[in-house]
Amino acid sequence: MTRAEARNLALAAAAFALLAFLPFLKDSGYLLSVSVSIAMYTVLATSWALFSGPTHYISLATAAFYGLGAYVVAAGIGTISYPLLLVLAGIAGAVLALAVGVTTLRLSGVYFVIFTLGLAELIRQVVTWVQNNLTGSRGMYVLTEITERIIYWELLGLAALVYLVGWLVARSRLGFALRIIGNDELVAAHVGINSAAAKLILFVISGVFAAVVGAVMAPRYTYIEPSIAYSPELSFQVVIMALIGGAHRLWGPLVGVIPFALLWELIAARFPTQTVLLLGVAFLLIVYFIPHGVVGRIESALERLRRGTRRG
Amino acid sequence: MDILITGILLGATYSLIAMGLTLQYGVARIMNLANGEMLVAGAFGAFWVFTAQQASPFAAALVVVPGAFALNWLIYRYLLRPLVRRAKNRGMLEVDSILATFGMSFVLVGIMLMVFGGGYFTYSYLAEPFEIFGSPFALNRVVACLVAVAISGLLYWGLNGTRTGMALRALAVDPAAAGLVAIDVPRMSAFSFALGGAVTAAGGIVLSTFLTMDASIGVVFTMKALIIVIMGGVGDVRGAIVAALILGLAETAVASLIDPGLTLAAAYLLFILVLLLRPEGLFGRRQS
Amino acid sequence: MYRRTALKLAAAAALAGALPLGFTHAADPIKIGAVAPKTGPLAGGAAITHWPNVQLWVHQVNERGGLRMRDGSRRKVELIEYDDRTNPGETIKAVERLATQDKVDFIVAPYGTGLNLAAAPVFAKYGYPQIACTSVTDKVPELTKRYPSIFFTLGTTTAFANSVAEVLNKLRAEGKIGNRVAMVNVADAFGIELAEAARPIFKTAGLEIVYDRSYPLGTQDLSPIVKGARAANPDAFVAWSYPPDTFAITEQSKIEGLNVKAYYTAVATAFPAYRGKFGKSIEGHLGAGGVNLDTPEMKAYLAAHKKVTGKDADYWASPVTYAGLQVLEQAIEAVGTDRKAVTEYIKKATFKTVMGHWKFVNQSIHEFWTVGQWQNGLFHGVSSTGLPGAKPVIAKPGW
Amino acid sequence: MLDIQSVAKRFGGLLAVDQLSFAVRENEVLGLIGPNGSGKTTVLNLISGAFKPTAGDIYLDDRLITDRPARHIARAGVGRTFQLVRVLPSLTVLENVMAGAVFGHKRLWGREARKYAERQLERVGMAHAIGMPTAALTYIDEKRVELARALASDPRVLLLDEWLAGLNPTELQTGIALIRSLREEGRTVVLVEHVMDAIRSLCDRCVVMSGGVKIAEGTPAETLADREVIRAYLGDDDA
């Protein structure tokens, strides 16, 4: 580990520790609920980008994993302890991601995009059918003592984990392989990289995170409806936040999620009757005026700065 | 027999949902996530004509179809063309158009909410039994099927029998090469995008005679349309129609013979299988 | 990484600055928050059942000069409304925002079972009374124990299924139908729960379920399910359905000629749009809910609803939602804006509402309408858990 | 060491390679020549595993590699360059070369991989460009980087697809010397090339292709004098 890396790591740890104190602020309820959604999207978008950033595959299956995680909790709560359910949700996510990855990672471009969309719907249909015919109203209520504060901490922990995993992957052979795959898959094959396996590992990692996030969020909703747990809007939002931030940097999704979430929050708060219309307009403005994502903006600004100082 | 006819009728419904998007995505290369909203807008038009003007909902086509054409032309010209121009490759355009049209779908939902309110809109039109081989079927669905046949026939003739159609097909295969043979690519793309929007809105009019809708239901249609278009093969109107029919038949067969609870699961399973076995879609060209 | 903290702090400041902060002095209006879907899957229902009643109530209260407080003063009502886009996460955030940023005095309960339950912990945390008028759940005892300020008014799934069984048995006793029931349900929360509750209840009631299938939410063609039900040759048809499919099932039944003497569809049967779409052919249709249309209060309510909002109220949850607001109104007028006192008052007092006299027992209303029937163009309550004014059930004539 | 037996490759209706057989001996430089479109690059793609042959077999050291994926063939010690240079644009020059060292035949990691990659860059005369982004490279330099990447995997067989094309006379001499030195350290080289000088001075043997079939095989002098070869060249292409 270089000194810069150690410093960054320490700073990150300090930041997380600081954030962990947020629930103790006075009147933090609203801030906390905003932070929960920011943390949730951060984990989802970052883990999404771990896979999609280097491989350029756009997956719209986030909701499938998320919903699966939520359902594992809903079906098992009361008989199985909650921490164990989180683990089970992770395992379920991994199994699903593995099955999906093995069959689909050879699809490319838009086919993969729509495939994952179809997949999310398929999972939703199958889970609903199982629920309707086997578990019934059990698998709908998640009544626990878990408060928003605990959910926030869990998400914060997951965020730390996702960054740790991302950082470890980036320094590993796997990360290097992914960068090569993202550049040129043919070259990757010809230098001896097993690109299918590399993509699969990352897909599984992102699937596990999404499933665990779903499991963490389930107690917050109390009542799990298929149309809400498997909302396609979630998948789209994750993709969009990650892309707006920039998927090729580990911290990219974060700089997309935060301003995006705050902007949306602001619109929702200030324009309650035209929320959707203005969200759309804000969104279009972002797409047209920040074409390379926030990361792109930051990087080009840094580049200008560097060039400026060099010249001066 | 019942299953067959019901399946074909449902397939026709699906083809109405998907045909517009084939033109927009297959030819103009815009994966339009606001497509469903255009459909709902068309349906709103029909609803308004029927309830407020006491006229046949199909009369709405006189205004809605040209209106949708013009609106989509403008959308392409002023909102999408800049994206096409700045995209370095197909992948970038895909990402940009997903993002932009996603935003547009919100804007359209917002506008419809303001204009029409958030409630359900539904009315009864031609909701009578129509006997085919001794079994009753909904007349409005039969009419929808006929309209679907008419639209697809027109499109087929338009694409295969006219100069413009040839240009569009060339564009669908390879925009760069199409430009080399003196096809006005931007104009043709705008045309096909606008045409797709008009077809979608027309579909909305027909569907409103038997589906209950509200301002935010568009996304449901967008998803279905995407799946049908991809399953059929991008840029091929025939493919979309065949895929729609297959889905319609499969859903009906599963609902009648196995369990209605698994209809959509079966549809998505079928879609996934098609994609796995023929990633380029039923009628798509394999890309090298 | 430290950028994250900085951004968050900046954001908190920005939000705090951007949002209207509430300063309540005596002469100020009472601030009422409301959050429910204006978009998303539940928006269609909320636009019929929820929002118009909020609008109507606020309009009427302010028309009267405001709420008449105990000290004789009048305080108008100021409404702050948010769209949760049918997303429970948004509902939670919006309720937090109302509670801590807008500092509203009271909050109208959200719309639907899922969104209400998601928001319940927040209501409980800040002690806001939550009169959940559009929630139907069998977990009422557990939920009321958990959340001391939640109130249920619409009923339980078991009660709904029980009443349907009773109505069917009544018709059977009169010799109008046999005991064969075809049952279908939408595979979404409410539909699943109702179907699950109904199976044993129907069996105990001596009804034979000859067809029992679910269909996914968003099915575009329900004719196979109607055909399947018809093929089972039932005497009664029960669909635990949601709004879009209620319309589709009815239309399809009409086309297929599903001729049963007892025909039940759940949510949306009581919508005016149902009558608007099907006209006279819905005579004798059974559906969830119902009201006593003969009371003067109900008549006045329906007229005012039409006049103020320009739309007809539905014959089930609309007046219940309005009654919930009346409860809030009367409680505030009785004890003021102290939320704890209001909650306690709601638990104990009896309220005069458009739905009749309401008295909460264990935080829920135990007398509610369960089954209604279209008779002569109006949706009358025909079965309830002990309310007066039920009309006799009739057998459904042909289409 | 490399044995191609009756290999065929069909693209849709087009038969790009038909019943082609030849062998490459250990430590030789084999020239694969022929007019444009005769299927040379396709043959390299078949050997490296980029394409699967429609028929026939390919052996590497008596091991069947016909249906092995490209990554296995690469790890077995086959390195290659591409006709249209494929550098990895978002990686630095050094990282481009490290790609070969990390994942290829050699499988190094960390400092070792870096050092090894640096040595390969020195070898192709690109030591000065180690930290540069690839965007700054000229076409010729890109070719060198690509060769360094292939070398970094320490290949036993090196497939060079028109690697010498486009070099100026001085560069050409350096290039030829470089390839020769590769052979001297015991590697086997298959060379698809149009530069006749290079073929004459480097190749031990040549295989001449035309229209997907082999029309001649032998020493450069023999094959280039072959009537059929001359006809093939003059027929399509005035080489």
Side-chain angles (χ1 to χ4, degrees):
Chain A
M1 202 185 296
T2 65
R3 188 178 293 177
E5 278 174 334
R7 190 199 58 199
N8 287 343
L9 207 62
L11 275 173
F16 273 103
L18 204 63
L19 284 173
F21 281 104
L22 187 121
F24 298 119
L25 293 179
K26 200 173 160 290
D27 275 339
S28 61
Y30 173 57
L31 190 59
L32 189 62
S33 66
V34 174
S35 304
V36 163
S37 79
I38 290 179
M40 176 186 104
Y41 280 114
T42 302
V43 178
L44 289 176
T46 310
S47 64
W48 180 88
L50 280 185
F51 165 71
S52 298
T55 59
H56 305 302
Y57 277 85
I58 294 185
S59 158
L60 287 174
T62 309
F65 295 106
Y66 181 90
L68 185 70
Y71 264 88
V72 167
V73 170
I77 200 90
T79 40
I80 304 170
S81 80
Y82 184 68
L84 188 60
L85 281 173
L86 291 186
V87 175
L88 286 179
I91 293 171
V95 171
L96 180 64
L98 208 59
V100 173
V102 164
T103 47
T104 63
L105 285 174
R106 63 200 182 87
L107 295 175
S108 60
V110 70
Y111 297 105
F112 182 81
V113 180
I114 307 301
F115 177 90
T116 50
L117 189 69
L119 177 88
E121 287 295 307
L122 176 65
I123 305 289
R124 165 178 164 181
Q125 295 302 333
V126 171
V127 170
T128 318
W129 188 81
V130 168
Q131 189 193 8
N132 190 71
N133 293 281
L134 303 175
T135 62
S137 66
R138 180 193 176 72
M140 239 181 260
Y141 294 91
V142 182
L143 295 167
T144 61
E145 297 306 318
I146 295 165
T147 59
E148 184 139 84
R149 197 180 270 217
I150 297 173
I151 292 171
Y152 172 73
W153 282 323
E154 284 175 305
L155 289 172
L156 215 54
L158 276 179
L161 197 62
V162 97
Y163 282 112
L164 192 66
V165 168
W167 182 69
L168 287 175
V169 166
R171 345 176 344 118
S172 69
R173 255 170 203 275
L174 177 62
F176 190 42
L178 283 164
R179 287 175 62 203
I180 297 168
I181 294 168
N183 269 280
D184 191 328
E185 211 159 321
L186 186 71
V187 169
H190 280 92
V191 296
I193 292 171
N194 186 346
S195 52
K199 285 189 268 183
L200 191 60
I201 293 171
L202 267 291
F203 191 62
V204 168
I205 290 176
S206 79
V208 169
F209 272 107
V212 176
V213 170
V216 165
M217 295 300 281
R220 190 183 193 222
Y221 300 145
T222 313
Y223 188 73
I224 309 295
E225 289 173 278
S227 49
I228 285 167
Y230 290 95
S231 141
E233 197 187 315
L234 178 87
S235 303
F236 278 103
Q237 283 207 29
V238 166
V239 173
I240 278 158
M241 289 183 177
L243 290 180
I244 281 181
H248 60 288
R249 289 268 181 270
L250 187 56
W251 48 274
L254 184 70
V255 296
V257 168
I258 292 179
F260 194 79
L262 294 180
L263 178 67
W264 280 44
E265 193 53 37
L266 205 65
I267 290 174
R270 296 303 285 278
F271 306 98
T273 40
Q274 262 89 44
T275 307
V276 169
L277 177 66
L278 287 169
L279 290 182
V281 172
F283 195 79
L284 286 175
L285 292 178
I286 293 174
V287 174
Y288 285 94
F289 296 105
I290 314 182
H292 302 293
V294 181
V295 169
R297 272 284 143 110
I298 295 175
E299 281 179 344
S300 58
L302 287 177
E303 185 61 28
R304 261 198 305 277
L305 209 69
R306 216 174 296 146
R307 234 178 282 146
T309 49
R310 208 181 296 156
R311 218 173 286 140
Chain B
M1 197 67 216
D2 262 11
I3 296 174
L4 199 66
I5 297 172
T6 313
I8 289 172
L9 292 180
L10 181 59
T13 305
Y14 285 160
S15 70
L16 284 173
I17 295 172
M19 268 188 293
L21 189 67
T22 335
L23 291 171
Q24 296 188 325
Y25 183 54
V27 183
R29 316 262 159 170
I30 302 292
M31 189 174 173
N32 184 7
L33 296 182
N35 183 268
E37 274 68 35
M38 203 50 70
L39 187 142
V40 176
F44 263 129
F47 177 69
W48 181 74
V49 165
F50 183 78
T51 48
Q53 309 299 311
Q54 316 279 313
S56 158
F58 293 113
L62 295 175
V63 186
V64 167
V65 173
F69 187 89
L71 177 64
N72 279 277
W73 186 292
L74 292 175
I75 289 178
Y76 187 85
R77 180 70 194 74
Y78 291 102
L79 290 172
L80 298 172
R81 183 91 193 99
L83 298 183
V84 176
R85 216 174 287 152
R86 89 181 184 200
K88 290 198 193 75
N89 53 46
R90 179 128 190 219
M92 257 182 87
L93 179 59
E94 217 121 66
V95 168
D96 270 354
S97 61
I98 287 176
L99 292 176
T101 56
F102 184 74
M104 278 173 220
S105 74
F106 270 71
V107 172
L108 286 174
V109 168
I111 292 173
M112 287 194 285
L113 213 56
M114 273 192 328
V115 180
F116 300 100
Y120 292 106
F121 59 107
T122 178
Y123 59 94
S124 246
Y125 185 71
L126 301 179
E128 317 162 8
F130 180 82
E131 299 242 329
I132 306 176
F133 299 114
S135 303
F137 295 92
L139 182 56
N140 45 27
R141 281 183 191 262
V142 176
V143 169
C145 183
L146 295 177
V147 173
V149 170
I151 293 180
S152 53
L154 273 175
L155 280 182
Y156 189 78
W157 170 78
L159 286 174
N160 292 284
T162 65
R163 279 185 68 86
T164 315
M166 206 152 82
L168 290 180
R169 280 187 300 142
L171 204 57
V173 177
D174 187 344
L180 294 179
V181 294
I183 290 172
D184 185 349
V185 175
R187 222 177 92 88
M188 279 297 147
S189 297
F191 175 74
S192 68
F193 189 83
L195 186 63
V199 169
T200 304
I205 294 177
V206 181
L207 297 191
S208 73
T209 60
F210 54 89
L211 292 181
T212 299
M213 303 197 196
D214 64 63
S216 19
I217 207 171
V219 59
V220 173
F221 296 111
T222 309
M223 303 266 229
K224 203 92 204 183
L226 276 177
I227 279 173
I228 292 166
V229 168
I230 297 291
M231 187 167 155
V234 172
D236 195 308
V237 177
R238 269 175 321 163
I241 293 166
V242 171
L245 281 177
I246 291 177
L247 277 187
L249 286 169
E251 286 189 14
T252 310
V254 170
S256 311
L257 305 174
I258 305 171
D259 182 344
L262 289 173
T263 17
L264 295 185
Y268 290 115
L269 188 68
L270 193 67
F271 162 74
I272 282 172
L273 287 179
V274 166
L275 221 57
L276 287 178
L277 300 177
R278 264 187 80 85
E280 67 280 11
L282 292 170
F283 281 76
R285 279 165 294 269
R286 209 175 272 269
Q287 286 166 340
S288 52
Chain C
M1 190 54 66
Y2 59 89
R3 188 174 279 119
R4 183 186 166 126
T5 330
L7 271 171
K8 233 178 212 176
L9 291 176
L15 280 180
L19 300 172
L21 289 168
F23 298 98
T24 328
H25 357 119
D28 272 353
I30 291 181
K31 282 206 213 174
I32 304 281
V35 49
K38 286 170 195 272
T39 51
L42 290 185
I48 292 169
T49 303
H50 189 88
W51 288 114
N53 286 297
V54 175
Q55 190 195 337
L56 171 65
W57 178 73
V58 171
H59 174 88
Q60 287 183 331
V61 167
N62 288 340
E63 191 95 310
R64 278 199 291 274
L67 294 172
R68 188 195 302 277
M69 306 307 286
R70 218 162 22 155
D71 59 13
S73 69
R74 286 275 190 175
R75 287 182 70 182
K76 291 211 173 191
V77 166
E78 182 195 326
L79 181 70
I80 299 174
E81 49 184 322
Y82 292 125
D83 175 13
D84 62 21
R85 311 206 307 281
T86 320
N87 175 340
E90 293 295 320
T91 315
I92 294 170
K93 260 195 296 180
V95 175
E96 286 275 9
R97 194 191 299 135
L98 286 168
T100 63
Q101 306 300 305
D102 304 326
K103 300 204 191 307
V104 296
D105 297 294
F106 293 95
I107 303 175
V108 180
Y111 178 76
T113 310
L115 301 178
N116 260 301
L117 293 190
V122 190
F123 274 85
K125 182 166 76 176
Y126 297 108
Y128 282 98
Q130 180 184 11
I131 307 170
C133 293
T134 41
S135 298
V136 177
T137 163
D138 267 353
K139 297 264 188 221
V140 170
E142 213 175 329
L143 291 167
T144 47
K145 206 177 297 163
R146 186 177 261 278
Y147 308 117
S149 57
I150 199 167
F151 299 92
F152 291 97
T153 64
L154 200 57
T156 62
T157 29
T158 305
F160 277 86
N162 261 327
S163 278
V164 171
E166 272 167 32
V167 166
L168 294 182
N169 266 335
K170 205 178 285 171
L171 286 169
R172 189 167 60 153
E174 289 165 15
K176 288 174 179 147
I177 59 167
N179 68 344
R180 297 168 63 82
V181 182
M183 182 172 100
V184 304
N185 73 283
V186 60
D188 206 71
F190 185 52
I192 296 175
E193 217 174 323
L194 276 165
E196 201 197 23
R199 278 182 203 114
I201 289 171
F202 282 17
K203 199 178 246 174
T204 327
L207 296 163
E208 186 193 349
I209 303 179
V210 292
Y211 183 79
D212 180 4
R213 287 284 195 269
S214 70
Y215 57 87
L217 190 68
T219 306
Q220 312 252 346
D221 185 0
L222 290 158
S223 69
I225 215 166
V226 174
K227 281 198 172 87
R230 195 185 60 166
N233 198 21
D235 301 306
F237 176 78
V238 175
W240 308 114
S241 52
Y242 268 176
D245 15 297
T246 299
F247 292 108
I249 286 181
T250 307
E251 178 164 321
Q252 207 58 44
S253 302
K254 192 174 165 184
I255 286 158
E256 300 279 346
L258 175 63
N259 283 314
V260 287
K261 295 276 184 246
Y263 186 89
Y264 175 96
T265 46
V267 187
T269 314
F271 284 3
Y274 193 72
R275 176 180 54 203
K277 182 174 168 90
F278 297 108
K280 286 200 167 54
S281 62
I282 56 171
E283 178 70 9
H285 277 204
L286 299 163
V291 287
N292 182 355
L293 289 166
D294 298 333
T295 64
E297 290 87 359
M298 184 57 75
K299 284 184 176 143
Y301 162 75
L302 292 174
H305 191 288
K306 174 84 185 171
K307 185 159 164 273
V308 173
T309 68
K311 296 179 215 165
D312 283 315
D314 82 37
Y315 295 108
W316 178 26
S318 275
V320 175
T321 303
Y322 185 78
L325 293 164
Q326 287 181 303
V327 168
L328 192 63
E329 171 186 336
Q330 287 162 30
I332 297 171
E333 289 186 339
V335 297
T337 55
D338 177 40
R339 292 196 283 274
K340 204 169 164 62
V342 166
T343 308
E344 289 313 310
Y345 185 80
I346 296 175
K347 282 182 183 169
K348 293 197 190 88
T350 300
F351 298 88
K352 200 168 166 296
T353 74
V354 63
M355 297 300 292
H357 289 284
W358 265 10
K359 169 120 182 62
F360 288 90
V361 179
N362 293 328
Q363 292 164 247
S364 65
I365 294 293
H366 289 260
E367 283 93 33
F368 46 85
W369 290 99
T370 47
V371 183
Q373 185 171 41
W374 284 100
Q375 295 179 3
N376 296 319
L378 294 171
F379 195 68
H380 292 278
V382 294
S383 182
S384 70
T385 54
L387 284 172
K391 291 254 181 209
V393 187
I394 59 168
K396 179 179 132 51
W399 287 94
Chain D
M1 90 174 292
L2 198 59
D3 202 359
I4 285 95
Q5 293 187 348
S6 318
V7 162
K9 177 66 188 176
R10 182 184 287 281
F11 294 105
L14 179 81
L15 197 56
V17 175
D18 188 15
Q19 290 293 322
L20 183 78
S21 301
F22 67 92
V24 185
R25 291 170 208 141
E26 180 114 34
N27 200 16
E28 81 170 340
V29 176
L30 179 96
L32 190 56
I33 60 177
N36 286 333
S38 58
K40 307 179 299 284
T41 296
T42 307
V43 173
L44 286 198
N45 280 330
L46 290 170
I47 298 173
S48 77
F51 296 154
K52 300 267 161 280
T54 315
D57 289 317
I58 302 171
Y59 292 89
L60 176 68
D61 293 333
D62 298 328
R63 274 191 309 161
L64 187 64
I65 58 165
T66 320
D67 290 319
R68 310 294 287 165
R71 60 174 197 278
H72 285 175
I73 297 170
R75 283 188 208 166
V78 177
R80 73 170 291 181
T81 65
F82 295 90
Q83 187 179 5
L84 299 167
V85 186
R86 301 181 86 112
V87 291
L88 305 165
S90 79
L91 272 58
T92 65
V93 168
L94 180 66
E95 285 173 326
N96 257 279
V97 180
M98 277 175 68
V102 172
F103 298 102
H105 189 42
K106 196 98 181 160
R107 298 195 81 72
L108 302 171
W109 183 236
R111 213 175 115 82
E112 253 186 302
R114 181 186 313 270
K115 289 288 162 208
Y116 193 75
E118 280 170 6
R119 291 231 328 263
Q120 306 313 312
L121 276 168
E122 278 162 28
R123 183 145 192 216
V124 298
M126 290 290 293
H128 62 280
I130 282 175
M132 266 159 63
T134 46
L137 297 179
T138 62
Y139 181 68
I140 304 301
D141 286 348
E142 285 185 343
K143 290 195 133 193
R144 294 184 184 182
V145 170
E146 204 185 32
L147 180 62
R149 182 175 70 210
L151 286 176
S153 69
D154 190 20
R156 295 167 55 226
V157 181
L158 189 59
L159 312 173
L160 299 179
D161 199 348
E162 299 193 21
W163 191 76
L164 294 166
L167 302 185
N168 68 32
T170 340
E171 289 166 343
L172 190 63
Q173 286 316 310
T174 333
I176 289 173
L178 183 61
I179 294 173
R180 191 171 289 134
S181 75
L182 294 176
R183 198 258 291 274
E184 276 156 17
E185 39 180 74
R187 297 183 211 275
T188 308
V189 179
V190 177
L191 204 65
V192 166
E193 204 48 79
H194 282 299
V195 184
M196 289 304 164
D197 286 348
I199 294 163
R200 284 207 185 82
S201 67
L202 271 174
C203 296
D204 301 303
R205 290 188 307 127
C206 284
V207 169
V208 190
M209 290 182 69
S210 178
V213 296
K214 182 169 83 175
I215 54 170
E217 184 175 350
T219 63
E222 279 166 25
T223 49
L224 292 176
D226 189 293
R227 296 186 74 85
E228 195 154 352
V229 174
I230 293 165
R231 179 143 25 100
Y233 267 94
L234 293 177
D236 296 292
D237 187 359
D238 282 12

